[in-house]
Amino acid sequence: MTALQRAKNELAVANRILVRQGVFDEDGHISLRHPDDPNRYMMSRALSPAFVAPDDILEFTLDGNPVAPDARALWVERFMHGAILAARPDIHAVLYARSEDLLPFGVAQSALRPVIASVGDMGTRVPAWDIADSFGGSTDLSVSTLERGRDLARCLGSDRIVLMRGMGFVATGRSLNDVVRLSVYLPRNARTLAAATGFGKIAALSAGETKARLAIDPESSAMRRGWDYWARQAGCAHWLAD
Amino acid sequence: MTALQRAKNELAVANRILVRQGVFDEDGHISLRHPDDPNRYMMSRALSPAFVAPDDILEFTLDGNPVAPDARALWVERFMHGAILAARPDIHAVLYARSEDLLPFGVAQSALRPVIASVGDMGTRVPAWDIADSFGGSTDLSVSTLERGRDLARCLGSDRIVLMRGMGFVATGRSLNDVVRLSVYLPRNARTLAAATGFGKIAALSAGETKARLAIDPESSAMRRGWDYWARQAGCAHWLAD
Amino acid sequence: MTALQRAKNELAVANRILVRQGVFDEDGHISLRHPDDPNRYMMSRALSPAFVAPDDILEFTLDGNPVAPDARALWVERFMHGAILAARPDIHAVLYARSEDLLPFGVAQSALRPVIASVGDMGTRVPAWDIADSFGGSTDLSVSTLERGRDLARCLGSDRIVLMRGMGFVATGRSLNDVVRLSVYLPRNARTLAAATGFGKIAALSAGETKARLAIDPESSAMRRGWDYWARQAGCAHWLAD
Amino acid sequence: MTALQRAKNELAVANRILVRQGVFDEDGHISLRHPDDPNRYMMSRALSPAFVAPDDILEFTLDGNPVAPDARALWVERFMHGAILAARPDIHAVLYARSEDLLPFGVAQSALRPVIASVGDMGTRVPAWDIADSFGGSTDLSVSTLERGRDLARCLGSDRIVLMRGMGFVATGRSLNDVVRLSVYLPRNARTLAAATGFGKIAALSAGETKARLAIDPESSAMRRGWDYWARQAGCAHWLAD
């Protein structure tokens, strides 16, 4: 299998995992930098992520244009993925989801922070982006242009996650598994944080603990333990076979 | 397939989708204006919505009477559907559900408002109806007569949704997909709003944002993305085949 | 099928329904007055309710003793069922469950009351029983003797439900469907009430509304709508065939 | 079947039950003292618990070293299991899980206590361990050395459960069923306690009631009722056949 074909298969698996884990619903998309060309990325056509198969993965340039003409519908948010990958050479994968457990943090602008060890690598700062700040109060909230995507990328800065009011969040990863793993744990962390908020004083991970978690190789076997299990749960482990 | 048969099939699919998505339980009903005659509508006989098939869809006049005599049991709430379709020529589909996430808003008369983009088209105002206001404090709460249905329709006015104390809600749509889609997202919005309430100040969608969301064609491919996925999840996609 | 065999089959179906609906877990039991002898009742042997089949249903006298000798293990709570059926000739079915959504009301002695129409027939008063009041603070909390069962029956009085601290609740019914239906809706009412508590002032059903709901025949087709659907969901509808 | 083979099979069943019951996710591990040698214990190799089969169970000495050389990856937390089994001869099984419902209690240091009868045998005291107290604020939070495991065991003392900030909890049992049963009920107790906290004054089990629950034989048929049902639900009851 070529590196490109493997990347397509893994991206399809990521879509299915994220649906099965409740991060994606009938919406949600994930992109991966091209394995051979850092100025390109791959992403599915506009399709409910539960339906995405390797043949639905297309190639794009960083300004969000498809490399080859394609008659199929494309996500308008592809510009956003490109803008983030252009702004952040250290990042190899980008995910947008409207996971319900994170939405309240964007809506109430409550600080999202790591309280469970598994998301220690999210960092201690999560910026919150409000489309109205730059584009006024009459948009449909969708990040559907390159301009909006670049504005969001600026808000993300050098962090790993950005909350989007009324829309959900964008997470980034050093690898595909890195962003999938983080995104599966983010809702659990959000639920734990919300529940603990009702109890009193919260002990979040310290800066030192966050740094120690970030230092763990995202491709180590411990960090990849979920991937194989989730792929089997999602019924698409066969796309990972050699 | 005739327009009428297609409408029956789609209405059966809508019933199954709403059960699968947790909007309906063993109760709940949805009506659709007749494709050829605006003075008639279609709705299932009284039957748990998980059981509804195209043959269970009957035709009614706007006063809630069946067009053809039928020995099978009918929903007493059919009058309510007719009253709303009569009062609102702009509306083509009406749904009643007792989705658990919306019930607290009717019980505590807490303001329901859009905080997630996907329900921006619900509008900014959701009236709350209390049967006791017009019919006294000794009813069984069911909207079982044309008089009660008309009173509810007056409370709905020109809005899209009305909360009913202790009973749930009625939602309306410009098309079948429009009301199904909105009703699937309403519980998610309610849960997000409830969770955010515990965090502090809430940023709901502005009037301008709501207007922008309402301007999106409810039959566009982006707005119909859920329908196909949900129909397949509900195991009844075959009723949609040509 | 004899009335007795039918009663056994329906009681087995009730067990399976209550598991499927999340009212029972690996524990929970339900009894039914004997169709031919008001001084007897039927109940399963001690067995996870998900496993109960018609052959597991035994007959008991109202003091909790099996009518025929049986080597199989029996629920120690059978005395409680008998005590309630003895104290309440108007009641034909008794259920004990530790449904998680009702537990907090017994633990915090918060008033459980009907806020959704479907449980209007629960009445306006729900007594709370604490085993420590009559039996001291060193019991294992289980209602395992006739004496404890009779004490609980006195606390229940003429109401339909009694909360038991740390244990769950007992519900009663005029028929088997009546208590199953009520018990399926009680957790929904509890969740709605708990959520509305966070919002502010709560509009519970009035005494008049409760009376109107109680006046509905529990064996009417509207009140039996759930039963058939739930039996099919639980995979045991065949036990109901003639 | 030898006692050793039976123990391996039961430990595999325990892993599958704990996944099915939501106590384990793609992580979580459980150990059992060797049936023939109290200075050894058994535990799976590092593997998502949903995948664990009898052949994945290895033997260890109490200092966490495998008895026989094995090329397969091992849990770094095996030292922790050994340290607890070494410190507590009365204990035969140890479990670590990051069950979401218990995490908030460790994060907010809110007192976890028994409010439902089924967890009365957890005792009245649940110590909370913070890795930063002994190992500073720059660890990755994992209990990955014998030194950390021994520190945790000291915090556990003579109790049954210890909360670990940001990581979850460790529970212990007098038998395998004892710790599995307790761990299945702990999240239910945590949810009930969290919900009741919103209602007001909480009536937890008294010391006398806790003592009475602890006096029940953990291998009695009432206490083993869940095991068979859960094993069947988890699809691995065949590993228990003679």
Side-chain angles (χ1 to χ4, degrees):
Chain A
M1 204 188 298
T2 63
L4 180 62
Q5 187 60 45
R6 175 171 299 279
K8 286 184 178 181
N9 285 19
E10 291 192 339
L11 208 41
V13 168
N15 273 278
R16 302 294 183 97
I17 284 176
L18 291 160
V19 171
R20 182 65 176 71
Q21 293 294 317
V23 179
F24 285 174
D25 45 37
E26 56 286 342
D27 198 38
H29 22 82
I30 180 166
S31 62
L32 179 66
R33 202 180 289 276
H34 195 289
D36 304 322
D37 181 351
N39 292 314
R40 292 188 181 177
Y41 66 96
M42 294 178 302
M43 184 176 168
S44 79
R45 61 183 179 101
L47 190 68
S48 276
F51 292 156
V52 170
D55 284 351
D56 298 305
I57 307 296
L58 309 181
E59 290 180 46
F60 298 89
T61 54
L62 293 184
D63 55 6
N65 291 318
V67 169
D70 200 293
R72 295 176 288 182
L74 304 178
W75 290 107
V76 293
E77 294 90 348
R78 65 190 183 276
F79 303 110
M80 175 184 78
H81 287 262
I84 293 170
L85 289 164
R88 291 284 298 275
D90 59 320
I91 286 304
H92 284 262
V94 174
L95 168 154
Y96 161 77
R98 49 188 196 188
S99 170
E100 225 179 276
D101 298 298
L102 273 83
L103 282 165
F105 292 87
V107 162
Q109 304 226 341
S110 179
L112 188 63
R113 51 201 187 283
V115 291
I116 62 174
S118 349
V119 293
D121 55 331
M122 72 183 265
T124 51
R125 204 186 79 100
V126 181
W129 184 74
D130 188 332
I131 195 170
D133 291 342
S134 295
F135 302 97
S138 300
T139 70
D140 65 1
L141 280 90
S142 66
V143 187
S144 50
T145 67
L146 193 53
E147 192 191 1
R148 292 180 181 185
R150 284 174 176 162
D151 193 69
L152 179 72
R154 271 189 296 272
C155 182
L156 171 67
S158 59
D159 289 308
R160 287 201 66 180
I161 309 167
V162 57
L163 293 172
M164 303 152 73
R165 176 178 60 86
M167 289 294 282
F169 70 98
V170 159
T172 62
R174 295 158 286 177
S175 67
L176 189 64
N177 172 64
D178 191 36
V179 77
V180 168
R181 186 192 166 284
L182 180 63
S183 302
V184 169
Y185 290 138
L186 279 173
R188 300 183 193 178
N189 183 69
R191 288 191 294 265
T192 300
L193 178 52
T197 300
F199 286 157
K201 194 171 171 299
I202 291 168
L205 266 68
S206 71
E209 288 166 344
T210 299
K211 206 171 158 192
R213 296 296 305 189
L214 257 172
I216 301 173
D217 176 3
E219 295 303 304
S220 64
S221 69
M223 297 301 262
R224 286 194 63 88
R225 184 165 298 128
W227 179 269
D228 291 333
Y229 173 47
W230 297 330
R232 200 179 71 167
Q233 275 190 308
C236 58
H238 56 285
W239 284 335
L240 299 175
D242 278 311
Chain B
M1 205 188 299
T2 63
L4 181 62
Q5 186 60 45
R6 175 171 299 279
K8 286 184 178 183
N9 285 18
E10 292 193 339
L11 207 42
V13 168
N15 273 279
R16 301 295 182 96
I17 284 176
L18 291 160
V19 171
R20 183 64 175 73
Q21 294 295 316
V23 180
F24 284 173
D25 45 39
E26 56 286 343
D27 198 39
H29 22 82
I30 180 167
S31 61
L32 179 65
R33 203 180 286 277
H34 195 290
D36 305 322
D37 181 352
N39 291 314
R40 291 186 181 179
Y41 67 96
M42 294 179 301
M43 185 176 167
S44 79
R45 61 184 178 99
L47 189 68
S48 275
F51 291 156
V52 171
D55 284 351
D56 297 305
I57 307 295
L58 309 181
E59 291 180 47
F60 299 89
T61 54
L62 293 184
D63 55 7
N65 290 319
V67 168
D70 200 294
R72 294 177 289 182
L74 305 179
W75 290 108
V76 292
E77 294 90 347
R78 65 190 184 277
F79 302 110
M80 175 184 79
H81 287 262
I84 293 171
L85 289 164
R88 291 284 298 275
D90 60 320
I91 286 304
H92 284 261
V94 174
L95 168 155
Y96 161 76
R98 48 189 197 189
S99 169
E100 224 179 277
D101 298 298
L102 273 83
L103 282 166
F105 291 88
V107 162
Q109 303 226 343
S110 180
L112 188 63
R113 51 200 187 283
V115 292
I116 63 174
S118 348
V119 293
D121 53 332
M122 72 183 265
T124 51
R125 204 185 80 101
V126 181
W129 183 75
D130 188 332
I131 195 170
D133 291 343
S134 296
F135 301 96
S138 300
T139 70
D140 65 0
L141 282 89
S142 66
V143 187
S144 50
T145 66
L146 193 52
E147 192 189 2
R148 292 180 181 185
R150 282 174 177 162
D151 193 69
L152 180 71
R154 271 189 296 273
C155 182
L156 172 66
S158 59
D159 290 307
R160 287 200 66 182
I161 309 167
V162 57
L163 293 172
M164 302 152 73
R165 175 177 61 86
M167 288 296 282
F169 70 97
V170 159
T172 62
R174 295 157 286 178
S175 67
L176 189 65
N177 173 64
D178 191 35
V179 76
V180 168
R181 186 191 167 283
L182 180 63
S183 301
V184 168
Y185 290 138
L186 280 173
R188 299 183 193 176
N189 183 70
R191 287 190 295 266
T192 301
L193 178 52
T197 301
F199 287 157
K201 193 172 172 298
I202 291 167
L205 266 69
S206 71
E209 288 166 346
T210 299
K211 207 172 157 190
R213 296 295 307 189
L214 258 171
I216 301 172
D217 176 3
E219 297 301 305
S220 64
S221 69
M223 297 300 262
R224 287 193 62 88
R225 186 166 296 128
W227 179 269
D228 291 334
Y229 173 47
W230 297 330
R232 200 178 72 167
Q233 276 190 306
C236 59
H238 56 284
W239 284 335
L240 299 175
D242 278 312
Chain C
M1 205 188 302
T2 63
L4 180 63
Q5 186 61 46
R6 175 171 298 280
K8 286 184 178 182
N9 285 18
E10 292 193 339
L11 207 41
V13 168
N15 273 279
R16 301 296 182 95
I17 284 177
L18 291 160
V19 171
R20 182 66 176 72
Q21 293 295 317
V23 180
F24 284 173
D25 44 39
E26 56 286 343
D27 198 39
H29 21 83
I30 180 166
S31 61
L32 178 66
R33 202 180 288 276
H34 195 292
D36 304 322
D37 180 353
N39 291 314
R40 292 187 182 179
Y41 67 96
M42 295 179 300
M43 185 175 168
S44 78
R45 61 183 178 103
L47 189 68
S48 275
F51 292 155
V52 171
D55 284 351
D56 297 306
I57 307 295
L58 309 181
E59 292 179 47
F60 299 89
T61 54
L62 294 184
D63 55 7
N65 290 318
V67 168
D70 201 294
R72 295 176 289 182
L74 305 178
W75 290 108
V76 293
E77 294 90 347
R78 64 189 184 278
F79 303 110
M80 175 183 80
H81 287 261
I84 293 171
L85 289 164
R88 290 284 297 274
D90 59 320
I91 286 305
H92 284 261
V94 174
L95 168 155
Y96 161 77
R98 48 190 196 187
S99 169
E100 224 179 277
D101 298 298
L102 272 84
L103 282 166
F105 291 88
V107 163
Q109 303 226 342
S110 180
L112 188 63
R113 51 200 187 283
V115 293
I116 63 175
S118 349
V119 293
D121 54 332
M122 71 184 265
T124 51
R125 203 185 82 100
V126 180
W129 183 75
D130 188 331
I131 194 170
D133 291 342
S134 296
F135 301 97
S138 300
T139 71
D140 65 1
L141 281 91
S142 65
V143 187
S144 50
T145 66
L146 192 54
E147 192 189 0
R148 292 180 180 185
R150 283 175 176 161
D151 194 70
L152 180 72
R154 271 189 296 272
C155 182
L156 171 67
S158 59
D159 289 308
R160 286 201 65 182
I161 310 166
V162 57
L163 293 172
M164 302 152 72
R165 176 177 61 86
M167 289 294 283
F169 70 98
V170 160
T172 62
R174 295 158 286 178
S175 68
L176 189 65
N177 173 64
D178 191 35
V179 76
V180 168
R181 185 192 167 282
L182 180 63
S183 302
V184 169
Y185 289 138
L186 279 173
R188 300 183 193 176
N189 183 70
R191 288 190 294 266
T192 301
L193 177 53
T197 300
F199 287 158
K201 194 172 171 297
I202 291 168
L205 266 68
S206 71
E209 287 166 345
T210 299
K211 206 172 156 190
R213 296 296 304 189
L214 257 172
I216 301 173
D217 176 3
E219 296 301 304
S220 64
S221 68
M223 297 301 262
R224 287 192 63 87
R225 185 166 297 127
W227 178 270
D228 291 334
Y229 173 47
W230 297 331
R232 199 178 73 167
Q233 276 190 306
C236 59
H238 56 286
W239 284 334
L240 299 174
D242 278 311
Chain D
M1 204 188 300
T2 63
L4 181 63
Q5 186 60 47
R6 175 171 300 278
K8 286 185 178 180
N9 285 18
E10 291 193 340
L11 207 41
V13 168
N15 273 278
R16 301 295 182 95
I17 284 176
L18 291 160
V19 171
R20 182 65 176 70
Q21 293 294 317
V23 180
F24 285 174
D25 45 37
E26 56 286 342
D27 198 38
H29 21 82
I30 180 167
S31 61
L32 179 66
R33 202 181 287 276
H34 194 291
D36 304 321
D37 181 353
N39 291 314
R40 291 188 181 176
Y41 67 96
M42 294 179 300
M43 185 175 166
S44 79
R45 62 183 178 100
L47 189 68
S48 276
F51 292 155
V52 171
D55 284 351
D56 297 305
I57 306 296
L58 309 180
E59 291 180 46
F60 298 89
T61 54
L62 294 184
D63 56 6
N65 290 318
V67 168
D70 200 294
R72 295 176 289 183
L74 305 178
W75 290 108
V76 293
E77 294 90 347
R78 66 190 183 276
F79 303 110
M80 175 183 80
H81 288 261
I84 293 170
L85 289 164
R88 291 284 298 274
D90 59 320
I91 286 303
H92 284 261
V94 174
L95 168 155
Y96 161 76
R98 48 190 197 187
S99 170
E100 225 180 278
D101 298 298
L102 272 84
L103 282 165
F105 291 87
V107 162
Q109 304 226 341
S110 179
L112 188 62
R113 53 201 185 282
V115 292
I116 63 175
S118 350
V119 293
D121 54 332
M122 72 184 265
T124 51
R125 204 185 80 100
V126 181
W129 183 74
D130 188 333
I131 195 170
D133 290 342
S134 296
F135 301 97
S138 300
T139 70
D140 65 1
L141 282 90
S142 66
V143 187
S144 50
T145 66
L146 192 53
E147 192 191 1
R148 292 180 181 184
R150 284 174 176 162
D151 194 69
L152 179 71
R154 270 189 296 273
C155 182
L156 171 66
S158 59
D159 289 308
R160 287 201 66 182
I161 310 166
V162 57
L163 293 172
M164 303 152 72
R165 175 177 61 86
M167 288 294 283
F169 70 97
V170 160
T172 62
R174 295 158 285 177
S175 67
L176 189 64
N177 172 64
D178 191 36
V179 76
V180 168
R181 186 190 166 284
L182 180 63
S183 301
V184 168
Y185 290 138
L186 280 173
R188 300 184 193 175
N189 182 70
R191 289 191 294 265
T192 301
L193 178 53
T197 300
F199 287 158
K201 193 172 172 298
I202 291 168
L205 266 69
S206 71
E209 287 166 345
T210 299
K211 206 171 157 192
R213 297 296 304 189
L214 258 171
I216 302 173
D217 176 5
E219 295 303 304
S220 64
S221 69
M223 297 300 262
R224 287 193 63 87
R225 185 166 297 127
W227 179 270
D228 291 333
Y229 173 47
W230 298 331
R232 199 178 73 167
Q233 275 190 308
C236 58
H238 56 285
W239 284 335
L240 299 175
D242 279 310

